[in-house]
Amino acid sequence: MPETVTRSKFEYDPADIWVLDREDIEALEIGSAILGTGGGGNPYVGKLRARQAIDDGFTLSVLPLDKVPDEACCVSLGGIGAPVVGYERIREGREGLRCVRAIEEMQGFPVDLIVCEEIGGSNAMEPLIVGGMTGLPVVDCDGMGRAFPEMQMTTYSIYGHTSTPSVMCDVHGNIVIFQHAVTELFHERMARACVVAQGGGSDLASAPMTGAFLKKFAIPNSYTQAVSLGRAVIDAKRRHSDPIAAICERENGRHVFSGKITDLKRHLRGGFVVGEAMLSGIDNHHGEDASVLIQNENLVFNREGEVAVSVPDLIVVLDIDSGHAITTEMLRYGQRVAILALPCHPLLQSPAALEVVGPKAFGFPDIVYRPVVGG
């Protein structure tokens, strides 16, 4: 499969194209880590790869969602596997590109636009890098507005897109095609089994969507949100003000706990990092106990034995001094952290969405989802 620039049938007004520079990538690292709720792949590694792509002469560009042609062929992609693998194992670098080329070969015509599967963590960077390699813009949207651990947990799948045929590519050069899955959950299960065999980390591109579908069911302005969020943290630190307060103000969120990690249970199971972080309160929460339940991402926050926040809202673990998010694979005993609760996008709050991304979908049938109300 040739690795040349894709020739899309659409042309875009240069005034509509946002070309990201190194400062944008720096802010995106911070913002995508916050939105990643502990998962999505290590954002620092993603930042290094994105900066290298810029240094190599690739253009990382973003197109507003409302500028997407209805007939455009849009392919979403991202990493699949356990975040700790993505942090510890060096990528080959062209896994996502091979996914796109295989999709094009299957359908017999070129992809027009690259789409982000999830804006959290390094999965925000991968579409940009692939877009740079192919010469295609990335749409300013994603399918989660955060990170979730399973593939069927996108607004694309929730609202009717069939993600097969799809393509998975690994660091070794293997290309696996999932021709058909009877449900989106079966697709997830098959892909998860495959990624375990491939060493715990790969890229996957789903079946193309039309621009019309994307404009209706994607979560809009994801890259704008992530970069703006990162800039808010950078600006707060530059002004010597509180970055945690800046995040809450920017995202209409709440600072729900401050504590120190006193115990950490974490292991790799079935292609996921699962576990629990236990915390002892400090500052205004001195004398209180809390915990965060993990499956790649932070799923449930308990305080004093009661559920305080749950998916699909965002549970963010931050370094209490820097305001930078700590991904689940980087949690350590003794860290002083702040727990933030940020509201999810309304597309994740519908009854159909809660069946897929609510507490019951993660094995918590007794937890009733209560949306975060901003502080």
Side-chain angles (χ1 to χ4, degrees), residues 27 32-33 56 62 88 90 95 103 107 113 133 162 195 294 300 304 348:
S32 67
D56 288 343
V62 173
E88 294 181 351
I90 297 174
E95 296 91 334
I103 289 282
Q107 67 183 6
L113 290 164
M133 290 179 173
T162 300
V195 78
I294 297 165
V300 177
E304 293 292 279
L348 298 175

Side-chain angles (χ1 to χ4, degrees), residues 56-211:
D56 288 343
F58 294 112
T59 299
L60 310 189
S61 60
V62 173
L63 179 73
L65 181 59
D66 62 2
K67 300 298 182 181
V68 174
D70 286 351
E71 303 81 14
C73 172
C74 308
V75 168
S76 69
L77 63 87
I80 177 173
V84 67
V85 175
Y87 181 69
E88 294 181 351
R89 185 178 69 179
I90 297 174
R91 296 173 61 96
E92 184 270 342
R94 295 180 293 176
E95 296 91 334
L97 177 62
R98 286 196 295 273
C99 286
V100 171
R101 293 299 182 232
I103 289 282
E104 291 177 328
E105 187 174 277
M106 281 194 298
Q107 67 183 6
F109 53 86
V111 169
D112 296 312
L113 290 164
I114 304 296
V115 179
C116 181
E117 189 87 352
E118 63 177 11
I119 195 63
S122 65
N123 269 332
M125 305 289 184
E126 188 64 16
L128 293 170
I129 296 166
V130 175
M133 290 179 173
T134 57
L136 297 174
V138 177
V139 183
D140 193 1
C141 70
D142 82 304
M144 297 181 179
R146 46 163 297 156
F148 281 120
E150 298 183 11
M151 290 166 43
Q152 78 279 10
M153 295 175 173
T154 65
T155 55
Y156 315 140
S157 293
I158 290 167
Y159 293 105
H161 176 61
T162 300
S163 57
T164 53
S166 65
V167 178
M168 180 187 290
C169 298
D170 69 5
V171 67
H172 307 291
N174 296 308
I175 299 176
V176 178
I177 296 173
F178 298 94
Q179 184 64 39
H180 176 68
V182 294
T183 66
E184 294 296 281
L185 182 56
F186 259 109
H187 186 206
E188 155 65 29
R189 289 172 177 171
M190 292 188 294
R192 192 66 51 179
C194 185
V195 78
V196 171
Q198 291 178 337
S202 300
D203 272 13
L204 187 140
S206 297
M209 298 173 279
T210 65

Side-chain angles (χ1 to χ4, degrees), residues 228-309:
S228 298
L229 186 52
R231 286 175 179 160
V233 173
I234 293 170
D235 290 345
K237 293 168 68 176
R238 186 178 295 133
R239 298 192 308 267
H240 303 288
S241 59
D242 183 5
I244 294 173
I247 295 168
C248 290
E249 181 179 359
R250 174 70 179 74
E251 296 298 314
N252 195 30
R254 291 189 293 121
H255 181 177
V256 295
F257 195 78
S258 297
K260 183 173 71 173
I261 297 178
T262 56
D263 197 7
L264 187 61
K265 300 174 183 177
R266 183 178 52 199
H267 59 278
L268 193 62
R269 185 179 70 197
F272 299 105
V273 172
V274 296
E276 182 177 10
M278 277 68 76
L279 304 106
S280 179
I282 60 174
D283 300 334
N284 293 337
H285 300 279
H286 179 74
E288 298 180 27
D289 293 319
S291 66
V292 179
L293 302 181
I294 297 165
Q295 181 185 328
N296 282 9
E297 285 76 37
N298 306 317
L299 302 181
V300 177
F301 172 66
N302 295 308
R303 185 173 61 204
E304 293 292 279
E306 299 291 333
V307 175
V309 191

